[in-house]
Amino acid sequence: MTTCLECDAPLTFPPDLIDGEIIPCADCGAELEVLSLSPLQVGLAPAVQEDWGE
Amino acid sequence: MTTCLECDAPLTFPPDLIDGEIIPCADCGAELEVLSLSPLQVGLAPAVQEDWGE
Amino acid sequence: MTNELMVVKLGGAAGIGLETLCDDVAQLRRDKRRLVLVHGGSDETNRLAEQLGHPSRFVTSISGHTSRVTDRRTLEIFMMATAAINRRLVEQLQARGVNAVGLSGLDGRVIQARRKEAIRVIENGRQRIIRDDWTGTPERINAGLLTTLLDLDLVPVLAPLGISESGEALNLDGDRAAAVIAAGLKAETLILLTNVPGLLRNFPDQTSLIHHIPQGEIESFAQFAEGRMRKKVLGAAEALRAGVRRVVIGDARQPAPVSAAMDGQGTVIG
Amino acid sequence: MTNELMVVKLGGAAGIGLETLCDDVAQLRRDKRRLVLVHGGSDETNRLAEQLGHPSRFVTSISGHTSRVTDRRTLEIFMMATAAINRRLVEQLQARGVNAVGLSGLDGRVIQARRKEAIRVIENGRQRIIRDDWTGTPERINAGLLTTLLDLDLVPVLAPLGISESGEALNLDGDRAAAVIAAGLKAETLILLTNVPGLLRNFPDQTSLIHHIPQGEIESFAQFAEGRMRKKVLGAAEALRAGVRRVVIGDARQPAPVSAAMDGQGTVIG
C-alpha cells in the first residue's frame, strides 16, 4: 500500500497510471510524483518550473 | 549531325549517351562534353581538375 | 549612432523571406550598424524530426505554454536543423558582403542556461513530470566573445542553443535567447521579427495592431498574447528590465523587415 | 613551448572514441597547449543522407580519388551531419572545462576555397563531367579570426566547410582543410588522426608502419597510400611546403591519441 510522504494517508491511483504522473494526496493535498511504475514508487513533486524551448 | 568543335569532323555517340559524357573526336582527339541530350549539344571539355571532398 | 547595438531575432516561421531579410541586413551593415542576429528553428526541427522517424512530442506547461519535449535524440535533431538554418543564413549574408560568423550559445559558452531538472506538463488532461528534457532557461551570456567578434566588424549569427553549468547542450527559446543577449550586451534595441504585424489586440485580425506599450504596462498587455507571441512579450519584459532601451515586435514579411522595425513599425515596447 | 600551435584533424571514421579523445585534449589544455581541432564527417553524412532518402553517390576522379557527388541537397545534409559532430565535440570538451568554440570554414570566411566548376569522373566505366558540384579546394584562411580566438584562450573546433569567392558554402576534405589551417597559422605540428597506426607499407598489415618520411621523399612514399590515406599524405606535403615543421599521421584508437602523435607515434613526416 503506497502512502503519502507527508501525512502517511493511503494514496489512490488511476488504473491507467502513467510514468511521472502527479498524484494529489486526498488527505493533506501534497503532490506526489510517480517515480517508477514497477515497483510503484512516489516522491514529492518538485515546484512548478516555467518551460520554454523552441 | 553534330560535329567536332575543333576539326568539324562528324562525332559518333554511344546509344546510351549520358548527360555530361566526354566524347573524344576520332579525327583530332579533341574531347567534347555533352552539354545537353535533347537537343544534343556539345562543348569543349574543361581540363582535368582534381576532385577532393569529404 | 553607429556604435548602438541592435539584436534581431529572426522569426523561425516558414513565412520569413530569407533573401529580402539578408538584403536588408546588408544595407544596415553598409550603414555601419552593429548587429547580432538570433534565429529559431521550430518548424525545421519538426520537419527533420518527422523525416528521421522521431517526430517531436508537444506538451502544454502549467502556465499554458506549448513546448517540445526535448529528449536527447530530439536535441540532436534540433542541433542539426538549427545548424542548417544558421549555415544558410551565413552563406546568404556572406554572398552579400556581410562578414557573418555562425555560432550557437554552446560555443565559447556564449549563452549560459539553467537546465530544467523537471518540467510539469499536462498531456491528454493528465498532469505529470518530465525529467529527461534537454531544455534550458537562458541566464547569462559571455559578452566578451560577442563584443570581440563585433569589434572585428563581424555579424554574429546565433542558433538557439545554450550550455548548462556542467556543459550540457540545451534547447533554448529563440526569443528569450535574443532577450538575454540584448540585455548582456546592453543593446539599444531588441527586434523580434515574426509573421504577423506585431501584438494584435484581437488575433488574428491584422488591423488590431497595438502600436505602443509603455514599459510599465507590459503585464496587462500580455493577456492579448497567445502561444509563441506570449513568449515574445515576456522576453521583451525581461530585456527591458535588464536595461535594453526599446523592444520592437515587427513583421518579418515586410520588404525590409529589420529597418521597418527600427523605424518603429510593429509593436514598440518601452 | 606553450605558444607553439598544434592543428589536429580528428579522423571522421566511426572508430574514433570521442570520450578518450576529449580527455586527451583536456589534458593538453591543462598543459597550456594552443590547439585548433578540425573534424570530418563522411560516415555521418552517408548515414544521414540514407535516412533522409537522398543517398550519396560516389564517383572516382581521373586520378583515382573516390569522392562524393555533392549536389545542393547533399551539401545541406553534409552541413547538418558535420554540425551534429561539431556540437557533440564542443559539448564534450566544454563538459571537461575546455572552452571550445565550434565554427565552420564558412563562418567569418575562415577557410576560403575555390569551387570546382567542373569535375571529371568515371562512373560505370564512362568518363563524364559533373557541373553541379558544391565541393571546393581550400586555398587561404582568415588567420586573424582564428588567432583572436586562440588569444582569448579558446579552442576553435572546425567543421570541413569552406566559402568560395562569391560566398558559396563548399564541402571540403577535412585533411586538406586542416593542412591549409596549419599552413595559414604557421602551426608547429599538424596531426592527422585516423583509424590505422599510420601510413602502412603494405596495407592492411598493421605491423608494416612507416615510422618516418623525410620531407623530400613524400612523393615516393605516396605510392603506399590508398584512398583517404592518399589525401592525407598529399595534405601533409602541402602543409610542409607552406612552412609547417612536422606532420604526424597518428592512430586515433590510442588511449591518448593526440599526445601519442605529439610524441611521434605513427608516421612522422618532415
Side-chain angles (χ1 to χ4, degrees), chain B residues 14 16-23 31 33 35 44-54, chain D residues 40-41 63 65 67-68 78 116 118 120 126-129 131 135 171-172 174 176 228 231 234:
Chain B
D16 57 349
L17 188 65
I18 42 179
D19 191 28
E21 188 155 5
I22 298 174
I23 303 296
E31 289 185 317
E33 172 194 351
L35 297 176
L44 278 177
V48 168
Q49 272 187 326
E50 200 39 58
D51 164 60
W52 284 22
E54 269 293 300
Chain D
S63 55
H65 283 291
S67 83
R68 181 191 314 276
F78 180 76
K116 278 159 238 152
R120 276 189 173 219
R126 310 279 283 272
Q127 262 202 44
R128 55 191 290 252
I129 300 284
R131 286 195 178 276
T135 306
N171 164 0
L172 302 182
R176 286 191 74 178
R228 297 191 59 80
K231 290 185 190 178
L234 295 178

Side-chain angles (χ1 to χ4, degrees), chain C residues 43-58:
Chain C
D43 292 323
E44 289 76 3
T45 300
N46 296 345
R47 266 196 303 277
L48 187 59
E50 208 71 43
Q51 290 168 339
L52 293 176
H54 189 77
S56 287
R57 243 173 70 216
F58 285 85

Side-chain angles (χ1 to χ4, degrees), chain C residues 149-168:
Chain C
L149 297 175
L150 287 164
D151 291 348
L152 283 171
D153 222 12
L154 292 162
V155 174
V157 181
L158 287 162
L161 278 166
I163 185 168
S164 70
E165 194 61 39
S166 60
E168 298 151 317

